[in-house]
Amino acid sequence: MKTKLITLFLLLNFTAFAQVLRKRTTLLMGSKFEITIVAKDAQTAEKNIDTVISEISRIEFLISDWKPASQISQVNSNAGIKPIEVDREVFELTKRALYLSKITGGAFDISFAAMDRIWKFDGSMTEMPTADAIKKSVEKVGYKNIILDSVNSTIFLKLKGMKIGFGALGEGYAADRCRNMMLKKGIKAGIVNGSGDMSTWGKNPKGNHWTVGITNPFLKDSLYTIVPLKNSAVVTSGSYEKFVVFDGKRYSHIINPVTGYPATGLTSVTIFGPDAELANGLSTSIMVLGKEAGLKFINQFPKFSCIMFGDDGSIYHSDNISDKMIKKWKKEL
């Protein structure tokens, strides 16, 4: 009788804590979003996936520079004319992006949206653009010409033809916001993955941490390591699929906003940290800064860590990732 009671208790206890996982993929912000929710039942999980999609759509209609009615599009269409009042949420996101632009010396620049697309990475380029064309392509780029008025919550672009855009930074912001929203609603585990900008929380239904595999871009059929994600975000910027080669030199599709030339030296940068928004900005910046300046830069952010692959196949990591940690992670392969 005692054994039966214990068995019944274990069954009831398991049922009380059993969780189901639901996943859905959809197109948002011009990118593929994959939303994973772990909840007490399928209906609750699906309902909260709907909530996440609604929230991302709301953010998209605020900050998308390709939607004419969005607040950012209004800012861009009034460049050189007048300041535009925006919601506080949009203002604060722009303020954070502008700060990142400043601390990277323009390696990240939210006014990159005005850059002329003279570089082609679809196989059609047969020669490099001229130096004059490259210089002209970034004439309207420059975060120092963005004026923020905190009192009136306005954004003003000083030069006619200037534009700001959030690109993947916006996807990271949306992923973080949805994670925080789900936690407030009592959803204890899930993943919001915006085209590779992943924001995770909690554990999978088996009680294990979510994990992500890091691919060596020079050995695409095998993983370099598997990293456990403990309520953290992960973002990768890379040029292993989009690049051109001239005179034996590899040029990334990630353009340096200051010079107009493609980034060189690094093939991919993966950032781990507490939020996807900043992680995205850091990964893009490091691709532009290069190995030495990039490592020096990331080490100023102790809550964030990185693994990077050089164009020559060499592998580097931030000071807070030890060889011992990587060896431990590799055991999971």
Side-chain angles (χ1 to χ4, degrees):
M1 183 68 177
K2 183 177 180 182
T3 303
K4 288 183 179 179
L5 285 173
I6 291 173
T7 303
L8 179 61
F9 171 76
L10 289 173
L11 178 62
L12 290 172
N13 191 51
F14 176 79
T15 303
F17 291 98
Q19 300 280 283
V20 299
L21 181 151
R22 286 293 181 271
K23 184 184 295 185
R24 197 185 308 170
T25 301
T26 187
L27 188 66
L28 295 161
M29 292 185 160
S31 301
K32 185 177 78 171
F33 266 79
E34 187 176 79
I35 302 155
T36 303
I37 294 292
V38 178
K40 62 182 180 180
D41 55 60
Q43 184 178 4
T44 301
E46 293 291 348
K47 182 179 178 181
N48 280 283
I49 289 175
D50 290 338
T51 301
V52 168
I53 290 173
S54 295
E55 176 65 3
I56 297 171
S57 297
R58 182 192 70 80
I59 294 169
E60 180 177 7
F61 278 90
L62 281 178
I63 67 172
S64 294
D65 58 323
W66 60 86
K67 291 186 178 294
S70 76
Q71 293 186 9
I72 291 302
S73 289
Q74 294 303 306
V75 169
N76 291 342
S77 62
N78 283 279
I81 301 172
K82 64 178 181 178
I84 295 297
E85 183 178 354
V86 297
D87 289 359
R88 202 70 201 181
E89 178 183 1
V90 176
F91 183 88
E92 293 299 329
L93 177 60
T94 306
K95 185 178 178 180
R96 292 194 299 274
L98 187 57
Y99 174 71
L100 186 58
S101 302
K102 290 176 180 177
I103 64 173
T104 61
F108 175 91
D109 194 320
I110 59 168
S111 66
F112 74 97
M115 187 183 301
D116 292 335
R117 310 301 180 188
I118 62 172
W119 294 89
K120 309 295 181 185
F121 300 93
D122 56 4
S124 63
M125 285 187 74
T126 57
E127 60 182 8
M128 284 186 63
T130 65
D132 286 342
I134 293 171
K135 183 178 179 181
K136 189 175 185 302
S137 71
V138 292
E139 279 183 347
K140 302 296 183 182
V141 178
Y143 67 90
K144 293 179 181 179
N145 290 312
I146 301 172
I147 308 299
L148 301 184
D149 182 339
S150 183
V151 174
N152 296 302
S153 192
T154 61
I155 304 172
F156 178 51
L157 310 181
K158 291 170 66 175
L159 305 179
K160 240 184 176 333
M162 273 191 77
K163 294 179 183 178
I164 58 173
F166 293 99
L169 198 72
E171 293 166 9
Y173 168 69
D176 291 338
R177 188 172 173 90
C178 290
R179 174 186 62 184
N180 295 336
M181 175 186 288
M182 289 294 101
L183 283 168
K184 288 179 181 178
K185 287 172 64 66
I187 300 300
K188 296 180 180 180
I191 304 171
V192 180
N193 181 357
S195 190
D197 287 18
M198 293 174 57
S199 193
T200 75
W201 70 101
K203 298 180 179 181
N204 65 29
K206 292 183 179 180
N208 300 320
H209 290 293
W210 303 109
T211 59
V212 63
I214 306 301
T215 302
N216 183 329
F218 298 96
L219 300 169
K220 294 184 180 179
D221 294 332
S222 63
L223 293 175
Y224 168 65
T225 189
I226 290 178
V227 180
L229 301 174
K230 301 177 182 179
N231 298 318
S232 65
V234 57
V235 172
T236 296
S237 293
S239 63
Y240 40 88
E241 293 180 343
K242 294 182 180 181
F243 62 91
V244 292
V245 178
F246 292 121
D247 297 326
K249 191 172 183 179
R250 195 173 183 279
Y251 294 89
S252 162
H253 77 285
I254 297 174
I255 309 296
N256 184 331
V258 178
T259 66
Y261 283 85
T264 60
L266 294 174
T267 299
S268 75
V269 175
T270 299
I271 302 288
F272 306 92
D275 67 89
E277 178 192 325
L278 182 53
N280 181 276
L282 294 176
S283 66
T284 303
S285 302
I286 292 171
M287 281 291 295
V288 172
L289 290 169
K291 178 201 128 183
E292 293 183 8
L295 283 173
K296 185 177 180 180
F297 180 64
I298 190 65
N299 287 329
Q300 298 176 40
F301 298 83
K303 292 183 179 180
F304 290 81
S305 55
C306 81
I307 296 173
M308 58 179 76
F309 292 85
D311 286 348
D312 59 358
S314 52
I315 305 170
Y316 316 97
H317 52 75
S318 53
D319 289 348
N320 53 10
I321 294 181
S322 66
D323 292 334
K324 185 177 180 180
M325 289 168 66
I326 292 178
K327 188 175 181 180
K328 180 181 178 183
W329 293 338
K330 284 188 174 182
K331 287 183 179 179
E332 301 297 324
L333 287 172

